[in-house]
Amino acid sequence: MRGMHPSIRTTGGRMTAIEAEGSGADVTTGTGTAAGSGAVHGYHHRKDEHLKRLRRIEGQIRGLQRLVDEDVYCIDILTQVSASTKALQSFALQLLEEHLRHCVADAAVKGGDEIDAKVEEATKAIARLLRT
């Protein structure tokens, strides 16, 4: 997943970052700044920590594959699925907090239409998180 941008948008519906990897999907940040534009995002100062955390989660997912491959008992696999899901949710909440503190707060200082767009964007992101 290295090099993937946190927001993947396709014309044919939603695609997960894992599905988008290597698919040639259009990688953007929604109403934000396109990847590679040199903009500093809210998570930038903790980027190495986030990447380390995502690699650990990736390891958990690979562990799930191994459990299935080894025909481990269903409930044991489900317990590990729960732990992986919780780890991703925790990461998402941290990223959301950084977005609010940096991107939304910066837009609030600038005012105008930008704050409305950032609040709407954050609200939609929260709604997506609540559906999971």
Side-chain angles (χ1 to χ4, degrees), residues 116-132:
D116 293 334
K118 290 293 180 184
V119 168
E120 180 180 351
E121 178 182 58
T123 301
K124 287 178 181 178
I126 292 166
R128 286 191 302 272
L129 287 172
L130 290 174
R131 285 194 296 262
T132 61

Side-chain angles (χ1 to χ4, degrees), residues 2-77:
R2 195 165 196 190
M4 288 300 303
H5 198 276
S7 177
I8 305 296
R9 182 173 286 156
T10 64
T11 56
R14 285 206 180 112
M15 179 181 273
T16 67
I18 292 171
E19 292 170 332
E21 188 170 332
S23 72
D26 179 28
V27 180
T28 66
T29 60
T31 60
T33 307
S37 68
V40 176
H41 300 288
Y43 61 85
H44 179 77
H45 68 285
R46 298 180 69 191
K47 186 175 180 177
D48 290 338
E49 182 182 330
H50 289 322
L51 289 172
K52 181 179 177 183
R53 194 171 183 185
L54 287 169
R55 282 192 278 282
R56 192 172 24 230
I57 293 168
E58 181 181 23
Q60 286 179 295
I61 302 304
R62 290 187 192 281
L64 286 169
Q65 293 171 331
R66 213 170 14 261
L67 293 175
V68 171
D69 187 48
E70 295 171 1
D71 294 318
V72 171
Y73 185 58
C74 305
I75 297 301
D76 294 337
I77 296 172

